[in-house]
């Protein structure tokens, strides 16, 4: 004759986030706040890139317009990446209102300088995220941010390259058309000394 197994087992308690999704490790309110702000910064950057693409399209600079349109899509993907991360950590994504982006510039150099400044600001935001996660000893987040920081470094590098080329062109139409053609053909890339 077999003895019945004990059926009294303690219920397993699993912490959940605001939407009721299970989470393995809670996040600090400060980190959640800066993550939400950064996600919305990426969305705002997307709108700014699209406005710049429109400005170039209106001036028949197809390569610049296509390049900046693609950058706008990339910023949306970055925002989605942060949304996915927040959800994976059991958090709720809070979307803020996107302000109308700037749509007028004096010349090509001013547009691309604005783009570079925007990329530098996004980099600073990501570094703040990393520092906050480090202070919180949130290793899950620092690991996530490692890849983001390298992607952002490359984005900043490419924007600096394009700004350098545009400055060198000194607002000369023929030189700007060459850069436009390189962008259209996806040949406008920073130099690499690695083989």
């Amino acid at each position: 004759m077999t003895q019945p197994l004990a059926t009294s087992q303690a219920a397993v308690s699993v912490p959940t986030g605001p939407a009721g999704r299970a989470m393995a490790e809670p996040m600090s309110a400060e980190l959640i706040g800066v993550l939400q702000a950064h996600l919305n910064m990426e969305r705002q950057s997307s709108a700014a890139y699209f406005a710049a693409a429109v400005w170039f399209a209106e001036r028949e600079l197809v390569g610049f317009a296509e390049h900046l349109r693609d950058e706008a899509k990339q910023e949306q993907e970055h925002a989605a990446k942060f949304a996915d991360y927040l959800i994976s950590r059991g958090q709720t994504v809070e979307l803020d209102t996107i302000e109308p982006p700037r749509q007028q510039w004096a010349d090509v150099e001013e547009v691309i300088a604005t783009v570079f400044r925007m990329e530098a600001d996004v980099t600073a935001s990501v570094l703040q995220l990393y520092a906050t996660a480090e202070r919180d000893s949130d290793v899950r987040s620092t690991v996530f941010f490692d890849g983001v920081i390298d992607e952002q470094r490359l984005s900043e590098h490419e924007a600096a390259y394009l700004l350098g080329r545009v400055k060198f062109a000194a607002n000369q139409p023929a030189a700007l058309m060459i850069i436009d053609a390189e962008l259209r053909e996806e040949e406008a890339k920073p130099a690499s000394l690695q083989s």
Side-chain angles (χ1 to χ4, degrees):
M1 179 170 184
T2 60
Q3 295 289 333
L5 296 173
T7 57
S8 66
Q9 295 180 357
V12 176
S13 176
V14 175
T16 58
R21 193 168 199 276
M23 60 181 183
E25 178 184 31
M27 298 174 77
S28 74
E30 181 184 9
L31 183 56
I32 293 167
V34 291
L35 271 163
Q36 296 281 11
H38 185 82
L39 181 153
N40 286 298
M41 178 185 238
E42 296 280 6
R43 293 175 57 236
Q44 188 68 53
S45 294
S46 176
Y49 267 119
F50 189 72
V54 168
W55 189 88
F56 281 109
E58 290 171 343
R59 286 151 184 81
E60 306 298 343
L61 291 165
V62 176
F64 281 98
E66 289 175 353
H67 174 71
L68 294 171
R69 178 207 59 209
D70 292 346
E71 292 294 318
K73 289 178 185 177
Q74 187 177 64
E75 297 301 322
Q76 280 294 332
E77 285 299 313
H78 292 169
K81 185 178 200 169
F82 280 91
D84 287 344
Y85 182 70
L86 281 163
I87 293 167
S88 77
R89 294 292 303 274
Q91 303 305 313
T92 300
V93 175
E94 296 175 12
L95 302 178
D96 286 340
T97 301
I98 300 301
E99 298 297 322
R102 178 179 178 182
Q103 292 184 260
Q104 295 299 319
W105 294 271
D107 56 26
V108 172
E109 184 177 332
E110 188 178 18
V111 179
I112 303 305
T114 301
V115 164
F116 175 76
R117 184 73 259 153
M118 185 172 50
E119 288 296 344
D121 290 346
V122 171
T123 300
S125 177
V126 173
L127 294 173
Q128 178 189 6
L129 289 170
Y130 193 93
T132 303
E134 270 192 330
R135 273 194 311 275
D136 291 350
S137 298
D138 188 329
V139 177
R140 284 177 170 85
S141 291
T142 57
V143 169
F144 172 72
F145 298 142
D146 281 338
V148 174
I149 289 169
D150 198 48
E151 283 179 31
Q152 189 55 40
R153 179 191 59 79
L154 289 173
S155 293
E156 197 175 281
H157 177 48
E158 290 170 1
Y161 162 77
L162 187 55
L163 179 57
R165 296 271 292 159
V166 167
K167 281 182 175 234
F168 189 74
N171 215 28
Q172 296 299 312
L176 292 173
M177 293 302 289
I178 290 170
I179 297 168
D180 188 67
E182 290 172 349
L183 286 166
R184 193 170 50 249
E185 299 299 321
E186 298 181 8
E187 293 175 357
K189 305 283 183 217
S192 176
L193 301 176
Q194 299 176 40
S195 55

